[in-house]
Amino acid sequence: MLTMTVSDQEIISRFPVGYYPLHPNAFLNFQMNRFWGWTGEKQMLEDLRAAAPRIASYPDWIREMLELSDKALADGGFLPAGYYAAMAHFFLAPDDPRRQPTLQRFLDNVLAVNGVTPDDHHLVP
């Protein structure tokens, strides 16, 4: 049986409230807010604000998110690094060779930050 050691209020308090004007394109703005909402880290919000003016196309988005992921990883920001990778992955073409490594970066970082180990994985028939 799974036992919760964290209260509902503690979990709820981790999620940020608000929607920010980060990009003039409504769709890209939504994506930035959506992914940021999973971390709630103020530095990530500032990084997205700084990157937004350099994004005018999906290739720009991919470039910026991969660069932000690299920077966050180098700075020890594993959760933002994972979500920046997910943001890049969202717009990578299915045949792009960066697609699988980018997805793996997301998984590796988010699972590690949340303490999920291979022992926690179970196949459901």
Side-chain angles (χ1 to χ4, degrees):
M1 174 160 206
L2 180 65
T3 316
M4 294 300 294
T5 58
V6 179
S7 73
D8 289 348
Q9 191 55 43
E10 282 181 273
I11 293 169
I12 292 168
S13 71
R14 293 178 189 169
F15 290 93
V17 176
Y19 191 81
Y20 298 90
L22 302 172
H23 196 279
N25 176 296
F27 177 67
L28 296 179
N29 187 65
F30 170 76
Q31 296 305 327
M32 287 180 165
N33 275 276
R34 177 170 78 107
F35 282 99
W36 174 77
W38 287 103
T39 71
E41 294 191 15
K42 296 296 182 192
Q43 184 58 51
M44 187 174 178
L45 190 60
E46 295 309 314
D47 291 344
L48 290 171
R49 280 189 175 118
R54 297 187 297 270
I55 300 171
S57 65
Y58 295 147
D60 293 343
W61 173 279
I62 294 165
R63 181 195 66 240
E64 291 297 320
M65 295 308 138
L66 290 175
E67 287 177 10
L68 286 172
S69 182
D70 288 345
K71 181 181 180 300
L73 196 57
D75 293 342
F78 301 107
L79 193 60
Y83 279 103
Y84 289 134
M87 292 170 81
H89 181 265
F90 192 75
F91 289 105
L92 286 169
D95 62 345
D96 191 307
R98 299 171 296 177
R99 190 168 171 82
Q100 184 58 37
T102 302
L103 175 61
Q104 195 62 54
R105 177 179 279 196
F106 165 70
L107 292 171
D108 290 347
N109 283 283
V110 172
L111 294 175
V113 166
N114 288 291
V116 178
T117 68
D119 291 339
D120 298 316
H121 295 224
H122 304 281
L123 296 177
V124 178

